[in-house]
Amino acid sequence: MNIHVFRDCGELKDAVLLMFCSEGKGWDKADQDRARRIGLDPEISFSGKAGRTRLCSAAGGTCLLVGLGKADDLDLEGFHAAVGMAVRAAASQEIASLAVASDHLDRLELADDLTLECVVAARLASYRFVAFKSDPGEEDCPASLTVWSDEADMEAKVARALAVADGAALARDLVNTPANVATPEYLAGVARDLAEKFGFGVQVYGPEEIVGMGMGSFASVFRGSDTPARFIVLDSMPGSEAKPLVFVGKGVTFDTGGISLKPSAKMHEMKGDMAGAAAILGLFKAMGQAGGGGRRVVGLLPCTENVPGSRATKPGDVVTAMNGKTIEILNTDAEGRLILADALAYSERFKPEILVDLATLTGACLVALGTKVAAVFATTAELDQRIRESGSRVGERFWPMPLWKEYGVPLKSDVADLKNIATREGGAIYAAMFLKNFVPEGVDWAHLDIAGPAWTDENASIFRPGGTGFGVRTLWELVEAYAGQEGETAL
């Protein structure tokens, strides 16, 4: 879908006017006047219920009415769903072009700039993954969306919004790409392409270099695979002395569970176990396309398969991580924390201002919070709040979880410093407590378990079945927050 910005709210021509209505609540005078200008009766019967649409033809053009549900219940997620419904309804009616007025969206009072949310939602609702189809078929969305706004800088703001949407789309693409294509080297190639295009710094380390740096925890995961692992380091401001925001992303490109083999049902979805790494690559694409950011950002992506093989790590093996801690591996399917551990330890060389990792880490988190919400474990209240506020601004929800010291006791091993699992109950917390052992001293750290919202089976709202791109927008907002630009350039 192409997005255009015009300052003149003139004739509709071939575009269909998009207008949102709340249940049981009429339009205000300005919206009534807009309806009358195209010959539409502002008192037209329409329930405004969520999920409802009505196409209305008038002398001066055509209007697509979209229900928002009850006004008191409306939130950003509800608005995204309404935009997704508009895109689907337009496609079903073979509407080629939609138009929406910025002042109409502003009157909904849902966000600082709802026009930008509409733009991002429309672009993501029109997303399709057809890279491996011999016949991709026709596009099932309108070809264009026209935004009417009298703001002089709206075109530039929309361009930034589209950069973020494109970053989320890249993350979706990477998660949806099958694991025989999206290998660790494939992800490294994406990182190199971003670095070349946008001037980022990039370093890619192979298995021997990973072992040579003392990353025995990371190495224990890739030992069983013939597909070479990669450790990717991206820097948005190479050569800078500034303390960076460091983001670490789990990049398990396929997870069988290793020797602790997973059940076969839905194992194919484990191609998405690199959604954390994909989100960081999506963030770098957004930053590059938007023309950089106000803060230095470093991305650390440990990438590998986790498969059984003659050299695979066995339950009961003991390995040594980069920071010298020894780990008894009791379950090889708890592998994400093993690769993240060494990446977190590696971050010390950057002296991070903050350290945040993203990972589809535990099924326990999905059981606890479902598929719509991610967990945040943070060492400071400030970082916890900033992450949750950043997510809330863009409709990505996080729920705070504890890092109480008593949860560290069951992780003590009889034969090593730590074991990589504890009891089944509280599994997501134990995983976070394990990771905390590898965070450099004095660094504010947060662990984001995105196991639930990183993948969806639903074809609804702004999503298609597969990867959601969750986390890209939260990271973008977080970078903007640390650059002191909330409400200015953040979406």
Side-chain angles (χ1 to χ4, degrees), residues 30-41:
D31 285 331
Q32 289 178 359
D33 290 344
R34 176 167 284 119
R36 289 191 183 96
R37 281 198 295 272
I38 66 170
L40 182 68
D41 180 1

Side-chain angles (χ1 to χ4, degrees), residues 226-240:
D226 291 332
T227 301
R230 294 289 184 263
F231 181 49
I232 304 164
V233 181
L234 274 167
D235 191 335
S236 69
M237 297 181 182
S240 172

Side-chain angles (χ1 to χ4, degrees), residues 242-255:
K243 293 177 67 173
L245 313 178
V246 178
F247 300 137
V248 179
K250 176 185 173 184
V252 176
T253 56
F254 196 81
D255 181 20

Side-chain angles (χ1 to χ4, degrees), residues 200-386:
F200 301 141
V202 64
Q203 291 177 295
V204 178
Y205 300 101
E208 292 184 1
E209 294 163 302
I210 294 168
V211 172
M213 288 189 285
M215 294 184 172
S217 185
F218 183 1
S220 72
V221 179
F222 65 66
R223 285 181 55 192
S225 177
D226 291 332
T227 301
R230 294 289 184 263
F231 181 49
I232 304 164
V233 181
L234 274 167
D235 191 335
S236 69
M237 297 181 182
S240 172
E241 297 293 328
K243 293 177 67 173
L245 313 178
V246 178
F247 300 137
V248 179
K250 176 185 173 184
V252 176
T253 56
F254 196 81
D255 181 20
T256 68
I259 297 295
S260 305
L261 196 66
K262 292 177 180 291
S264 59
K266 300 191 80 172
M267 192 193 285
H268 65 281
E269 293 182 0
M270 288 299 100
K271 67 180 182 179
D273 210 17
M274 35 62 75
I280 293 173
L281 290 170
L283 170 69
F284 272 83
K285 178 178 176 64
M287 290 192 300
Q289 193 170 312
R295 289 302 306 266
R296 181 187 177 198
V297 177
V298 169
L300 305 178
L301 314 179
C303 302
T304 180
E305 293 181 340
N306 181 32
V307 299
S310 61
R311 298 177 60 250
T313 295
K314 304 172 291 296
D317 286 357
V318 175
V319 299
T320 303
M322 190 179 194
N323 67 350
K325 291 187 181 291
T326 56
I327 304 164
E328 181 186 13
I329 299 174
L330 297 183
N331 188 325
T332 64
D333 194 25
E335 86 299 332
R337 65 200 70 181
L338 295 174
I339 68 173
L340 291 173
D342 277 331
L344 291 171
Y346 180 90
S347 73
E348 184 173 19
R349 67 188 58 195
F350 295 102
K351 308 300 180 189
E353 178 166 348
I354 60 167
L355 177 61
V356 178
D357 72 77
L358 299 87
T360 49
L361 204 63
T362 65
C365 189
L366 199 152
V367 170
L369 298 177
T371 60
K372 307 295 186 184
V373 184
V376 53
F377 301 80
T379 54
T380 67
E382 179 186 3
L383 183 54
D384 170 84
Q385 183 178 0
R386 282 196 162 184

Side-chain angles (χ1 to χ4, degrees), residues 182-204:
T183 62
E185 175 54 29
Y186 182 92
L187 298 185
V190 172
R192 292 188 190 99
D193 289 344
L194 292 173
E196 181 178 0
K197 184 174 183 178
F198 299 119
F200 301 141
V202 64
Q203 291 177 295
V204 178

Side-chain angles (χ1 to χ4, degrees), residues 74-279:
L74 184 61
D75 56 14
L76 207 51
E77 290 82 1
F79 177 72
H80 289 165
V83 174
M85 178 59 66
V87 169
R88 286 172 170 79
S92 69
Q93 295 290 328
E94 298 187 350
I95 295 170
S97 181
L98 291 171
V100 67
S102 182
D103 63 325
H104 166 68
L105 296 173
D106 289 342
R107 284 189 283 276
L108 297 177
E109 298 181 343
L110 273 178
D112 290 339
D113 201 330
L114 201 60
T115 299
L116 303 186
E117 282 299 326
C118 183
V119 165
V120 173
R123 175 62 68 87
L124 292 179
S126 65
Y127 170 88
R128 293 198 307 156
F129 184 71
V130 295
F132 294 88
K133 289 184 176 289
S134 56
D135 180 7
E138 297 181 358
E139 292 285 345
D140 55 354
C141 66
S144 67
L145 172 67
T146 297
V147 175
W148 288 331
S149 174
D150 59 5
E151 291 187 40
D153 62 345
M154 180 58 74
E155 191 166 359
K157 290 166 70 174
V158 165
R160 286 177 65 82
L162 291 176
V164 178
D166 289 347
L170 172 62
R172 290 183 178 187
D173 283 344
L174 294 174
V175 169
N176 290 333
T177 300
N180 62 320
V181 176
T183 62
E185 175 54 29
Y186 182 92
L187 298 185
V190 172
R192 292 188 190 99
D193 289 344
L194 292 173
E196 181 178 0
K197 184 174 183 178
F198 299 119
F200 301 141
V202 64
Q203 291 177 295
V204 178
Y205 300 101
E208 292 184 1
E209 294 163 302
I210 294 168
V211 172
M213 288 189 285
M215 294 184 172
S217 185
F218 183 1
S220 72
V221 179
F222 65 66
R223 285 181 55 192
S225 177
D226 291 332
T227 301
R230 294 289 184 263
F231 181 49
I232 304 164
V233 181
L234 274 167
D235 191 335
S236 69
M237 297 181 182
S240 172
E241 297 293 328
K243 293 177 67 173
L245 313 178
V246 178
F247 300 137
V248 179
K250 176 185 173 184
V252 176
T253 56
F254 196 81
D255 181 20
T256 68
I259 297 295
S260 305
L261 196 66
K262 292 177 180 291
S264 59
K266 300 191 80 172
M267 192 193 285
H268 65 281
E269 293 182 0
M270 288 299 100
K271 67 180 182 179
D273 210 17
M274 35 62 75

